[in-house]
């Protein structure tokens, strides 16, 4: 059988970089990020967060092939920002949002438990 | 450049119902990408423990060795400690074939049928080396059926033996995720739906006779509306029962009363339903999913050398443009 190993989907092979970045040679403030061993879960979340950024002119992601375990994120920004800056800001904002969500959920759980006991 | 800019949202949650293996809650002020990422992670990336290696010493049952190994793998195990364990792939303390506290839990099973009565071999026959990691069923945590003698806990059936047949084996449970194999998924179901907002046009409704109201209310395949017995007015009894089928809208149009109802789905509010296999608590599935999503997002941060290489590249480009 020549089926790829199942862990290939989430284990970055030795010597391979998790994330790479390539500038667009033709368009200013545009570039492509490639994240290895990630899928729609992360790709869609980053794209939607980038859409909230007013200095982002374009943000899109794709999973090029179901057996190529990577996502590609393309970003173009205004001169006020840069793809890297927008990408970092999106990740920071998402992290803060999730940290808040975690706290809110934990508070709600203890609130709910107090109701019962 | 405005370094203080932020587009962070501040989501809120309200739990409606919480049991060990069931959770229903509202998630507000975020978008579908976050809701869907958390749903996907609960199904495929929250780790649990499951039997992954089986050494069969004796098997004279009607099922072959690999069939039994597969069935053992599918038994949900209490996996509260999975988050603090290592994947055997990442474990440096052992070679991954068991008897290692960091990455595995050992089970043994030794059953022989000596009577004419068919013997059921179940998950309760598995002996665990770790009392916190046991098949979910043997805890008798189905409190709803407690005291009901007919529903005594008998575990999950693995195989049936007749007189003279035996099954003896050693099994190693390892940490894993649903993405690798569905046996590691803690999720029975995880779903979310948009919260519908239903606005009735009261003035237009009053132009209908009681029979017409009844006809319109009954056009919905799910029970979303009803007629108040006292006031004879149409009321919304269960907005979430609405399945976005638009039947009531079509009916209103057909009755010559377009605009009788307006239904919008709030795209920043979600109702989540989480059902666990019992491997971990439903509430912990959600909390773990939040942590895992944060780790995943942290994992795709640009490394310092990638950022620096691009900075140098940018300077080089500027230099060349300036030089021309
Ligand atoms: Zn180990």
């Amino acid at each position: 059988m020549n089926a790829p190993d199942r862990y290939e989907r989430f284990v970055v092979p030795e010597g391979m970089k998790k994330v790479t970045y390539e500038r667009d040679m033709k368009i200013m403030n545009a570039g492509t990020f490639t994240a290895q061993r990630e899928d729609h879960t992360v790709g869609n979340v980053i794209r939607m967060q980038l859409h909230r950024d007013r200095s982002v002119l374009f943000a899109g992601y794709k999973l090029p092939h179901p057996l190529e375990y990577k996502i590609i994120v393309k970003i173009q920004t205004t001169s006020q920002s840069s793809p890297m800056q927008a990408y970092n800001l999106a990740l920071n904002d998402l992290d803060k949002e999730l940290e808040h969500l975690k706290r809110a959920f934990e508070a709600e759980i203890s609130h709910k438990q107090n109701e019962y006991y | 450049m405005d370094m203080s800019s932020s587009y962070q949202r501040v989501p809120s949650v309200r739990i409606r119902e919480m049991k060990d293996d069931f959770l229903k809650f509202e998630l507000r002020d975020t978008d579908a990408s976050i809701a869907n990422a958390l749903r996907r992670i609960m199904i495929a990336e929250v780790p649990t423990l499951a039997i992954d290696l089986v050494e069969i010493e004796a098997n004279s049952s009607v099922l072959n060795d690999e069939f039994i190994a597969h069935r053992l793998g599918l038994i949900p195990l209490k996996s509260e400690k999975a988050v603090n364990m290592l994947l055997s792939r990442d474990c440096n303390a052992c070679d991954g074939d068991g008897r290692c506290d960091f990455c595995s839990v050992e089970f043994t099973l030794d059953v022989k049928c000596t009577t004419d009565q068919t013997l059921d071999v179940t998950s309760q026959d598995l002996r665990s080396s770790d009392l916190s990691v046991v098949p979910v069923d043997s805890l008798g945590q189905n409190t709803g059926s407690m005291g009901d003698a007919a529903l005594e806990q008998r575990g999950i059936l693995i195989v049936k033996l007749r007189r003279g047949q035996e099954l003896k084996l050693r099994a190693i449970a390892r940490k894993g995720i649903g993405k690798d194999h569905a046996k590691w998924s803690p999720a029975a179901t995880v779903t979310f739906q948009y919260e519908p907002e239903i606005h009735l046009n009261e003035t237009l409704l009053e132009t209908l006779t009681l029979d017409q109201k009844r006809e319109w209310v009954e056009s919905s395949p799910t029970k979303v509306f009803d007629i108040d017995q006292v006031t004879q007015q149409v009321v919304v009894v269960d907005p979430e029962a609405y399945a976005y089928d638009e039947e009531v809208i079509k009916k209103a149009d057909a009755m010559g009363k377009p605009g009788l109802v307006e239904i919008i789905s709030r795209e920043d509010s979600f109702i989540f339903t989480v059902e666990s296999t019992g491997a971990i608590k439903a509430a912990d599935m959600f909390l773990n999913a939040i942590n895992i999503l944060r780790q995943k997002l942290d994992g795709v941060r640009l490394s310092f050398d990638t950022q620096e290489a691009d900075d140098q590249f940018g300077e080089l480009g500027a230099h060349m443009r300036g030089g021309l």
Side-chain angles (χ1 to χ4, degrees):
Chain A
M1 290 286 274
N2 63 352
D5 286 319
R6 290 192 311 250
Y7 65 78
E8 286 278 338
R9 292 206 283 173
F10 49 88
V11 179
V12 183
E14 227 167 290
M16 190 185 266
K17 283 187 93 166
K18 178 79 180 173
V19 194
T20 56
Y21 175 67
E22 201 180 337
R23 270 188 193 220
D24 194 299
M25 290 303 159
K26 294 183 185 119
I27 307 163
M28 278 290 279
N29 289 312
T32 305
F33 298 80
T34 305
Q36 290 295 337
R37 303 323 187 235
E38 290 297 345
D39 59 17
H40 298 287
T41 305
V42 157
N44 192 230
V45 161
I46 293 175
R47 175 188 65 149
M48 294 312 283
Q49 184 65 32
L50 284 163
H51 286 176
R52 294 171 60 79
D53 188 335
R54 261 162 290 156
S55 61
V56 169
L57 297 174
F58 176 87
Y61 87 97
K62 68 176 171 182
L63 192 90
H65 186 98
L67 292 173
E68 281 178 45
Y69 309 112
K70 64 179 182 191
I71 51 163
I72 287 164
V73 182
K74 277 187 185 286
I75 306 175
Q76 187 192 354
T77 69
T78 62
S79 56
Q80 300 305 110
S81 184
S82 73
M84 271 200 184
Q85 205 186 323
Y87 184 82
N88 289 335
L89 181 64
L91 291 180
N92 290 342
D93 286 344
L94 284 168
D95 190 66
K96 281 186 275 177
E97 175 176 348
L98 289 165
E99 185 181 11
H100 173 85
L101 178 59
K102 187 188 170 187
R103 292 225 180 104
F105 190 75
E106 282 169 342
E108 183 67 8
I109 286 179
S110 52
H111 177 73
K112 205 65 188 171
Q113 278 165 345
N114 290 340
E115 252 175 55
Y116 287 129
Y117 307 114
Chain B
M1 265 171 246
D2 182 12
M3 298 303 282
S4 65
S5 67
S6 169
Y7 302 95
Q8 189 214 327
R9 278 172 300 226
V10 186
S12 62
V13 275
R14 193 180 79 82
I15 295 174
R16 285 191 187 170
E17 203 183 333
M18 185 168 73
K19 283 185 267 175
D20 279 358
D21 58 0
F22 181 85
L23 178 68
K24 195 168 185 125
F25 66 96
E26 296 156 11
L27 176 64
R28 290 177 199 283
D29 304 318
T30 187
D31 77 346
S33 71
I34 292 282
N36 195 230
L38 293 170
R39 182 193 66 88
R40 284 171 62 95
I41 291 171
M42 280 189 265
I43 293 168
E45 295 187 65
V46 170
T48 67
L49 297 167
I51 289 173
D52 194 37
L53 188 85
V54 180
E55 274 174 22
I56 297 195
E57 211 169 290
N59 173 20
S60 51
S61 78
V62 292
L63 300 184
N64 60 49
D65 293 1
E66 32 281 88
F67 200 123
I68 287 171
H70 180 238
R71 289 182 67 75
L72 289 168
L74 294 171
I75 295 169
L77 305 174
K78 273 273 157 199
S79 305
E80 238 84 69
K81 67 181 274 184
V83 274
N84 299 315
M85 284 174 71
L86 286 170
L87 291 163
S88 59
R89 194 184 312 107
D90 303 331
C91 185
N92 296 317
C94 71
D95 49 7
D97 65 350
R99 291 213 176 89
C100 169
D101 290 339
F102 299 105
C103 68
S104 52
V105 175
E106 192 178 359
F107 287 86
T108 53
L109 184 144
D110 187 0
V111 186
K112 189 167 185 171
C113 178
T114 52
T115 63
D116 283 330
Q117 178 93 44
T118 307
L119 182 69
D120 289 352
V121 182
T122 74
S123 56
Q124 288 190 335
D125 294 308
L126 282 165
R127 293 280 154 263
S128 175
S129 65
D130 183 332
L131 287 176
S132 71
V133 182
V134 289
V136 290
D137 212 86
S138 58
L139 298 178
Q141 101 271 37
N142 292 347
T143 43
S145 59
M146 279 294 232
D148 194 338
L151 288 169
E152 60 171 317
Q153 299 287 320
R154 279 179 300 171
I156 297 162
L157 186 62
I158 298 164
V159 66
K160 292 182 177 185
L161 301 179
R162 62 168 289 172
R163 185 191 265 282
Q165 293 178 337
E166 73 165 321
L167 181 63
K168 189 172 182 189
L169 56 87
R170 188 174 84 100
I172 303 297
R174 289 178 178 146
K175 177 179 170 173
I177 57 173
K179 224 178 188 184
D180 190 342
H181 190 290
K183 69 183 176 185
W184 276 298
S185 176
T189 44
V190 184
T191 60
F192 67 81
Q193 66 167 111
Y194 289 118
E195 195 167 10
E197 237 178 56
I198 303 177
H199 301 288
L200 290 169
N201 187 330
E202 304 288 352
T203 356
L204 205 52
L205 273 167
E206 283 320 301
T207 65
L208 298 181
T209 64
L210 186 58
D211 279 345
Q212 282 177 311
K213 283 180 188 172
R214 214 166 268 144
E215 190 186 338
W216 183 75
V217 162
E218 277 158 20
S219 72
S220 176
T222 49
K223 197 162 176 53
V224 181
F225 307 97
D226 204 355
I227 295 170
D228 191 301
Q229 294 295 326
V230 186
T231 63
Q232 299 197 338
Q233 274 187 320
V234 176
V235 287
V236 180
V237 284
D238 186 6
E240 281 153 35
Y242 183 60
Y244 295 93
D245 47 62
E246 297 185 3
E247 288 298 327
V248 285
I249 294 163
K250 286 177 204 153
K251 184 69 183 175
D253 290 351
M255 291 168 83
K257 305 279 177 186
L260 201 64
V261 66
E262 192 193 13
I263 305 176
I264 47 173
S265 65
R266 294 196 49 185
E267 297 196 1
D268 62 349
S269 292
F270 310 92
I271 300 152
F272 265 84
T273 308
V274 180
E275 279 179 53
S276 163
T277 59
I280 45 181
K281 285 184 188 138
D284 289 338
M285 279 170 66
F286 187 67
L287 275 175
N288 289 355
I290 296 172
N291 290 336
I292 291 163
L293 182 54
R294 288 180 77 188
Q295 284 162 22
K296 283 170 78 75
L297 290 167
D298 198 48
V300 296
R301 278 181 191 279
L302 289 156
S303 63
F304 182 70
D305 56 310
T306 308
Q307 297 203 47
E308 205 173 44
D310 183 66
D311 284 346
Q312 281 166 3
F313 192 86
E315 275 164 32
L316 182 71
H319 179 74
M320 282 172 72
R321 281 192 295 275
L324 282 170

